[in-house]
Amino acid sequence: MLVEGGRMEANLRRAIERINRAAGSGAQVVVLPEAMTLGWTHPSARTEADEIPNGMACAKLWDAARQNKVYVCAGLIERAGESIFNAAVLIDSQGEVILHHRKLNELEIGQELYTQGERLAVARTPLGTVGVMICADAFARGQVVSRALGLMGADIVLSPCAWAVPADHDNGKDPYGKLWLDNYCPVARDFRMWIAGVSNVGRLEDGPWKGRRCIGCSLVVGPDGRQVLRGPYGHDAETILYADIELQPRPARGDGWERMW
């Protein structure tokens, strides 16, 4: 979906419209992009970030989740006291926040704005055990974040993202996405789990990456470590993507994975 820097109300209206449409087409889980409320590293975070779970943005999303009886995962810009976090939530179909993640592996250019996260968790749901990470968490050295979620029992990892390229990027010469395949595929295969990375589209109008374009390309990787779904490329390539998820049996836990590997 299009995310416009600093325009929380417009972004939330767009998000709720997509939740309604996706649920109407049979979705049980709806995943929205990173920093969906204000845009990644947009300076409006200093004044507009709100609380989780009691802020306006979170309240609108849990109301949409409850009304549509779907799970919603979304990236939010969170204020907690004097700190601002690049955060994400997983809201269940009753409108309860059951996971609250704060990005761990934030890019250095975002660290002046965002405080580093300090938590990692999974939620056990009727649909499976779900983990949440955010964008660059996936390529922390050794894929330590996504692998930790695998060790914690995640069947599915949901990752709100904001994938951006320079304004002059030529996707024909340099197709986007290798970084994410290189980091999603081996982890999904090793832990027999699904990983979904969902990016926004639109131009970055402020912040350290001003002028870059977010280009979609949202990605689902299956438990065999192969790409299942890829979204279109482009700063105006808005769309809703659907994937059917069939969980795989968990053949090991804890140190038992070493024997499997």
Side-chain angles (χ1 to χ4, degrees), residues 11-209:
N11 292 328
L12 284 168
R13 283 196 300 271
R14 200 173 290 117
I16 291 166
E17 187 269 338
R18 279 160 178 67
I19 293 169
N20 294 342
R21 281 176 53 194
S25 295
Q28 294 177 283
V29 181
V30 180
V31 190
L32 300 166
E34 177 182 14
M36 181 272 299
T37 45
L38 294 170
W40 188 70
T41 64
H42 194 277
S44 61
R46 294 188 172 91
T47 55
E48 301 301 318
D50 63 357
E51 295 181 350
I52 294 176
N54 297 317
M56 177 192 74
C58 202
K60 285 183 177 293
L61 292 175
W62 54 248
D63 188 54
R66 183 178 57 205
Q67 289 189 21
N68 286 283
K69 296 181 172 55
V70 295
Y71 287 72
V72 173
C73 179
L76 304 176
I77 302 302
E78 174 194 6
R79 176 170 295 282
E82 296 301 312
S83 296
I84 299 170
F85 292 95
N86 183 351
V89 294
L90 179 64
I91 301 168
D92 71 12
S93 57
Q94 304 303 308
E96 297 294 327
V97 175
I98 58 173
L99 267 184
H100 175 192
H101 176 64
R102 292 165 169 169
K103 192 173 182 180
L104 297 164
N105 191 42
E106 186 60 78
L107 301 189
E108 285 191 319
I109 58 174
Q111 292 173 17
E112 181 182 352
L113 184 59
Y114 302 132
T115 301
Q116 185 175 22
E118 72 302 306
R119 61 184 66 175
L120 197 63
V122 297
R124 288 170 175 81
T125 80
L127 299 179
T129 299
V130 183
V132 173
M133 62 183 179
I134 301 172
C135 203
D137 283 341
F139 60 70
R141 183 176 288 272
Q143 300 121 10
V144 292
V145 175
S146 53
R147 289 185 181 277
L149 291 171
L151 285 170
M152 295 165 82
D155 298 303
I156 308 165
V157 173
L158 306 177
S159 184
C161 298
W163 295 340
V165 298
D168 61 355
H169 179 251
D170 186 336
N171 199 54
K173 293 181 178 178
D174 181 20
Y176 187 83
K178 184 177 185 298
L179 173 67
W180 307 107
L181 290 169
D182 286 349
N183 285 283
Y184 286 1
C185 293
V187 181
R189 181 181 61 246
D190 283 353
F191 287 98
R192 315 294 200 272
M193 69 182 181
W194 295 80
I195 302 179
V198 176
S199 180
N200 62 309
V201 300
R203 297 182 187 276
L204 296 174
E205 303 294 349
D206 209 334
W209 268 0

